[in-house]
Structure formats: C-alpha cells, structure tokens
Amino acid sequence: MITLTIELPEEETSFFKEFLSKIHGKIISEDRIPNEETIKAMKELKEGKGLKFNSVDELFKSI
C-alpha cells in the first residue's frame, strides 16, 4: 500500500473521487485551501475593511 499527497483543481475533485472508487482507493484526509481572492477578502475583513449588514435582506439588496 502507498499513500500519496496530491493537489487538484476544485472542478476536478468529483471526477477524481469517482476514479478512486473504481480502483478501490480512498481519501484519507482532505484539506481545502482558499484561492487568492478569498485570502485577500479574509485579510480585509480582519483589518476591519469589510462591509457590515444588519440583516440578510440588506446583504441581498447590496448585491
């Protein structure tokens, strides 16, 4: 038995999981790493630069 660590684009994950099931493989652990845009947004929020909404309705009206 061998254990591999791989990186996959998000859009290929379901294909890979289907392939693994066909060859009797399994996923031992799974980590999701945010993309650059998400990391930037998280940093801005931590710095207090994000928008704040008092309700879900306000949030959707802003979109």
Side-chain angles (χ1 to χ4, degrees), residues 39-57:
I39 292 170
K40 180 181 174 187
M42 291 165 50
K43 181 180 177 189
E44 287 177 2
L45 289 173
K46 286 179 183 177
E47 294 172 350
K49 296 178 184 176
L51 299 175
K52 294 183 181 184
F53 300 96
N54 293 319
S55 69
V56 173
D57 289 334

Side-chain angles (χ1 to χ4, degrees), residues 1-49:
M1 184 69 63
I2 185 170
T3 301
L4 304 171
T5 301
I6 64 166
E7 288 184 13
L8 287 174
E10 187 75 28
E11 60 274 6
E12 300 296 339
T13 304
S14 62
F15 169 79
F16 185 74
K17 287 179 179 180
E18 184 178 325
F19 171 73
L20 275 178
S21 70
K22 289 182 180 186
I23 63 168
H24 307 289
K26 66 180 178 178
I27 295 175
I28 295 171
S29 68
E30 185 175 332
D31 294 325
R32 294 181 181 265
I33 301 169
N35 63 27
E36 287 183 34
E37 182 180 357
T38 302
I39 292 170
K40 180 181 174 187
M42 291 165 50
K43 181 180 177 189
E44 287 177 2
L45 289 173
K46 286 179 183 177
E47 294 172 350
K49 296 178 184 176

